Amino acid sequence: MKIESIETIIVDIPLIRPHKLSFVAIDKMSSVIVRIRTDRGVTGLGEATAIGGPSWAAESVETMKAVIDLYLAPALIGTDPRSFATYLQVAHRVRNNEFAKSALEMALHDVAARAQDIPVHALLGGAVRDRIACAWGVATGDAEADIAEAKRLKDAGSYSVFKVKIGRDDPGADVARIGRMCAALGQEAEVRVDVNQAWDLRTARKWVPALDNAGCALIEQPIRATDTRGLVSLQDKCRVPVMADESVMTEHDLLELIRLGGVDALAIKVAKCGGLRPARRMAEMAICAGMSPYGGTMLEGVIGTAASLHLFCAVEQMPLGCELFGPDLAADRITTSGLRMQDGARLLNDGPGLGVEIDEAKLARYRRPETSARTAA
Ligand SMILES: [Mg+2]
């Protein structure tokens, strides 16, 4: 089997409401979709997203598309998509650009699994569960609207774990509203926060224990990504897990975190790890070091979320669940089917491959027109 073509398509899908993080607010989900076609008629899909352009990480959908089109895809045309060794040779010639690589690696997994008529998780060691508890990301930008949204979703029975984006407001106001949300939702719900690096270490030393006391169940990336030592010191200041996210982009970052003593939890994201296989390896490294891997998201649509789901259902220990809520935040999708939730858990979909198909009409509708270089007005 040989790769005939590798197509990259940028899509922009509106969200059901703006999503406001400490550093950026977005109103659409922007993704690069990778579609691999082979001489045997087997196709494969991949997806990578960026939140607010090159803001969360260094890559944007535009850079991902360029890196795949110009440097990765040309070297793979004509090769066997089932050969991971060939992919690694090509990928190693491009430094960093993990998001771009992840979209391509995902599509190669989809092709390889479809060629054998097996689900992608079978290529990752096989699923050990058929569902995973899924948190909803709360980020309306308004404290009372956040509480109302979480309460509505909890009362509807769809979600019971909520991850609130904080760090835009005064820390005292943020902690107070987390306390109000915990009280409003009651014992059956769980409230976690993601500060997205917004605090300095001195601020975090004061407010991380306060979040713990307010009933918050997990505190993600309270300080800047580069202060790994500071992050480790904060774990000693509270009873609930501190989670590393932006601090650990690479295996080297993870080794450094482990060397410094680690924290309780690590957000694993297929995009930041550079693909399904490195993400699985980092999840296993975390488990070996006594950290709980957590199923993170870059707010992917159905394709990227399905791939993450196949991975997270194949990792033996995922006690903190995942936050694969991206498809529910999007107002529409470019696939013929969605991914199901049941009793607060995301259900693993069957294969072959990732088990998702493109809806061509929707793809055409949300596809970003090809744009040329910008000129002065
Ligand atoms: Mg995060």
Side-chain angles (χ1 to χ4, degrees), residues 253-264:
D253 295 337
L254 179 50
L255 286 171
E256 178 70 0
L257 175 63
I258 292 168
R259 196 178 65 78
L260 291 169
V263 287
D264 282 358

Side-chain angles (χ1 to χ4, degrees), residues 56 163 165 194 196 220-221 245-246 269 323:
W56 190 91
K163 195 175 95 173
K165 292 289 191 180
D194 188 354
N196 282 115
E220 180 173 343
Q221 200 66 52
D245 186 7
E246 291 96 320
K269 296 176 176 174
E323 55 179 32

Side-chain angles (χ1 to χ4, degrees), residues 2 18 20 50 54 60 62 68 86 110 113 132 136 163 172 175 181 199 202 213 219 225 239 249 266 269 285 350 371:
K2 287 192 167 38
K20 298 184 178 178
S60 68
E62 297 83 9
I68 296 169
T86 303
D110 195 24
I132 181 165
W136 174 258
K163 195 175 95 173
V175 172
M181 186 181 283
W199 294 344
R202 187 204 302 254
N213 291 331
I219 302 161
R239 299 161 293 185
M249 306 291 282
L266 172 69
K269 296 176 176 174
M285 285 167 66
D350 249 343
T371 48

Side-chain angles (χ1 to χ4, degrees), residues 22-285:
S22 65
F23 61 97
V24 74
I26 56 170
D27 58 9
K28 60 180 188 291
M29 173 188 284
S30 298
S31 308
V32 172
I33 306 298
V34 174
R35 177 155 51 183
I36 296 178
R37 289 191 168 91
T38 66
D39 61 352
R40 301 243 188 108
V42 182
T43 61
L45 298 170
E47 177 186 9
T49 52
I51 297 174
S55 294
W56 190 91
E59 290 173 78
S60 68
V61 288
E62 297 83 9
T63 69
M64 291 179 222
K65 179 171 170 40
V67 166
I68 296 169
D69 288 351
L70 299 175
Y71 300 101
L72 295 168
L76 283 168
I77 306 289
T79 68
D80 190 328
R82 296 164 298 186
S83 168
F84 202 69
T86 303
Y87 164 73
L88 285 178
Q89 278 180 1
V90 171
H92 285 166
R93 291 204 290 267
V94 173
R95 286 176 65 87
N96 303 334
N97 289 284
E98 310 301 341
F99 283 51
K101 289 175 185 170
S102 77
L104 189 56
E105 195 243 29
M106 192 182 290
L108 289 167
H109 274 83
D110 195 24
V111 171
R114 282 173 191 268
Q116 297 178 64
D117 201 27
I118 57 173
V120 163
H121 66 74
L123 296 177
L124 301 167
V128 293
R129 63 184 69 81
D130 65 1
R131 67 197 60 207
I132 181 165
C134 183
W136 174 258
V138 183
T140 69
D142 177 87
E144 297 314 311
D146 277 358
I147 294 172
E149 179 177 282
K151 194 149 185 355
R152 182 171 51 76
L153 289 167
K154 186 204 148 211
D155 292 347
S158 35
Y159 287 89
S160 61
V161 179
F162 299 95
K163 195 175 95 173
V164 189
K165 292 289 191 180
I166 65 170
R168 290 167 66 89
D169 286 334
D170 169 71
D174 269 341
V175 172
R177 73 159 156 139
I178 293 303
R180 289 204 304 282
M181 186 181 283
C182 291
L185 295 176
Q187 291 294 324
E188 316 90 79
E190 190 171 312
V191 178
R192 305 168 175 178
V193 298
D194 188 354
V195 196
N196 282 115
Q197 315 185 56
W199 294 344
D200 60 25
L201 185 56
R202 187 204 302 254
T203 305
R205 279 201 195 104
K206 177 175 178 183
W207 293 106
V208 160
L211 277 169
D212 184 354
N213 291 331
C216 179
L218 181 146
I219 302 161
E220 180 173 343
Q221 200 66 52
I223 58 171
R224 71 177 191 273
T226 48
D227 190 0
T228 307
R229 192 180 295 276
L231 195 71
V232 170
S233 75
L234 290 169
Q235 182 63 78
D236 295 333
K237 292 199 167 294
C238 66
R239 299 161 293 185
V240 297
V242 167
M243 182 151 74
D245 186 7
E246 291 96 320
S247 283
V248 175
M249 306 291 282
T250 65
E251 290 173 9
H252 173 83
D253 295 337
L254 179 50
L255 286 171
E256 178 70 0
L257 175 63
I258 292 168
R259 196 178 65 78
L260 291 169
V263 287
D264 282 358
L266 172 69
I268 300 289
K269 296 176 176 174
V270 174
K272 75 173 180 178
C273 297
L276 292 162
R277 292 210 193 184
R280 183 180 171 103
R281 194 161 56 234
M282 286 172 73
E284 286 171 348
M285 285 167 66

